[in-house]
Amino acid sequence: QWMRWGFKVNNPKHFVYIKTVPKNVQGQKSYRHTPLFVRTDTIQALDKVLREKYKKNLWDPIEEIPRPIDVTHLWPLNFTEGTKQKVKQRCGFFRNKVSQLIHQYGQELGWKTSIQVKGEGVKTGRQRVHNAYIEGMLQTKIMVVTQRDGWEDHFRLMEALAASGACVISDFMFGLPAGLENGTSILLFKTPLELKSIISYYLKHPEQCIAMAKRGREVAMSCHRSWHRMEEVVFGEILTNCTSVKRNTSSTCPFTIHSNG
């Protein structure tokens, strides 16, 4: 995933965001990172659920669907014996803490939260996209996405942006995927207090919450599909976009299952 294109991180400019940076990191050279992409099977599953349950299409404003859940974090709160919430705990210390925080804040402030795996976890969960996963994302106003311990970037981030229609909050990333901007199309937190204040603010301002979700979905669907990554590998840049596709005024670009380029 380390390529010559994507977001460029320059030391020490981008490390100002974090007060204490290890010396071995401060001395590293600049790098470029190409982010992961929106899986086509996820969009196929979303299309199916939208048509069958909501009578809507991919290009409809799914961000405006009524949502009974305030905040969702797809990581179980408790690991009890015999639970079906199977996840890899080995790299999930941070995710455990975030689930605990959201549960705590939810009780304090009266949030309706969903803190659990939707569908199946671990390898089974990636053999196919479960309807429960898609439906769970469509029912929440805010999706909190957290990364594995010692890891940056993952498929769940792009899936949340493209398929949930929710406002997406993530823990801090040094290299945001191209097109995403903190405070415009995604929200980043680096402390428990920031997580709490960001969620509280956007639940109190639903119009801004929906607008954030729309901008995030637009970026994910316009710049981070599987064919965009293939074009970068082969040609060094994205070639397929809405301006390059011959279309009429009824075009649904970029909200399609497959590329029309």
Side-chain angles (χ1 to χ4, degrees):
Q1 292 300 319
W2 300 96
M3 304 292 184
R4 63 183 180 85
W5 54 79
F7 184 90
K8 185 176 182 181
V9 175
N10 295 306
N11 289 310
K13 176 183 176 182
H14 293 89
F15 291 113
V16 175
Y17 197 90
I18 294 181
K19 295 181 179 180
T20 304
V21 179
K23 291 183 178 179
N24 65 315
V25 175
Q26 292 178 351
Q28 290 179 2
K29 297 180 179 179
S30 299
Y31 65 84
R32 288 184 182 271
H33 172 219
T34 184
L36 298 174
F37 53 85
V38 181
R39 286 173 161 144
T40 299
D41 60 350
T42 301
I43 302 304
Q44 288 175 319
L46 172 64
D47 180 66
K48 183 175 184 292
V49 171
L50 287 175
R51 290 178 183 274
E52 294 181 356
K53 186 172 182 177
Y54 295 93
K55 308 304 179 186
K56 293 184 179 295
N57 299 297
L58 285 175
W59 52 88
D60 289 327
I62 66 173
E63 300 83 2
E64 299 173 11
I65 291 174
R67 296 166 182 263
I69 304 299
D70 292 324
V71 188
T72 292
H73 185 233
L74 298 177
W75 192 263
L77 181 62
N78 297 308
F79 297 98
T80 57
E81 185 176 353
T83 181
K84 295 182 179 180
Q85 302 283 291
K86 294 181 179 179
V87 293
K88 286 187 177 180
Q89 299 183 48
R90 181 168 53 87
C91 301
F93 177 81
F94 178 70
R95 288 171 169 173
N96 292 344
K97 292 297 183 182
V98 172
S99 284
Q100 293 167 12
L101 286 171
I102 293 174
H103 176 69
Q104 174 188 330
Y105 298 152
Q107 289 189 320
E108 291 177 5
L109 302 175
W111 300 342
K112 294 181 180 179
T113 61
S114 178
I115 308 171
Q116 59 182 316
V117 172
K118 301 290 186 179
E120 295 286 344
V122 202
K123 292 182 179 180
T124 304
R126 287 314 311 167
Q127 292 176 1
R128 67 183 179 88
V129 181
H130 295 256
N131 283 353
Y133 175 51
I134 299 297
E135 291 172 1
M137 291 195 291
L138 289 172
Q139 292 175 355
T140 190
K141 300 178 181 74
I142 292 175
M143 278 287 300
V144 177
V145 181
T146 48
Q147 301 164 98
R148 294 173 58 185
D149 299 342
W151 195 268
E152 180 164 296
D153 198 9
H154 57 128
F155 282 110
R156 299 304 188 196
L157 173 63
M158 283 300 165
E159 291 169 356
L161 287 165
S164 72
C167 175
V168 177
I169 300 175
S170 172
D171 54 306
F172 174 74
M173 298 175 66
F174 284 111
L176 270 177
L180 291 176
E181 183 179 349
N182 185 23
T184 301
S185 48
I186 191 173
L187 297 162
L188 302 179
F189 72 93
K190 62 181 185 293
T191 67
L193 183 59
E194 281 190 353
L195 175 64
K196 183 179 183 179
S197 62
I198 289 171
I199 294 174
S200 296
Y201 178 86
Y202 281 90
L203 287 179
K204 293 177 182 177
H205 298 82
E207 292 184 358
Q208 293 183 39
C209 187
I210 290 173
M212 185 76 64
K214 287 183 176 180
R215 289 190 291 265
R217 185 167 176 249
E218 176 81 21
V219 171
M221 295 292 280
S222 299
C223 307
H224 299 286
R225 302 301 300 275
S226 56
W227 53 86
H228 293 143
R229 290 297 168 273
M230 291 300 297
E231 289 170 350
E232 286 181 321
V233 170
V234 177
F235 304 107
E237 62 180 333
I238 292 175
L239 301 179
T240 305
N241 53 52
C242 293
T243 58
S244 67
V245 176
K246 294 181 180 180
R247 65 192 193 281
N248 55 37
T249 55
S250 62
S251 171
T252 58
C253 183
F255 303 106
T256 59
I257 295 177
H258 299 288
S259 171
N260 294 321

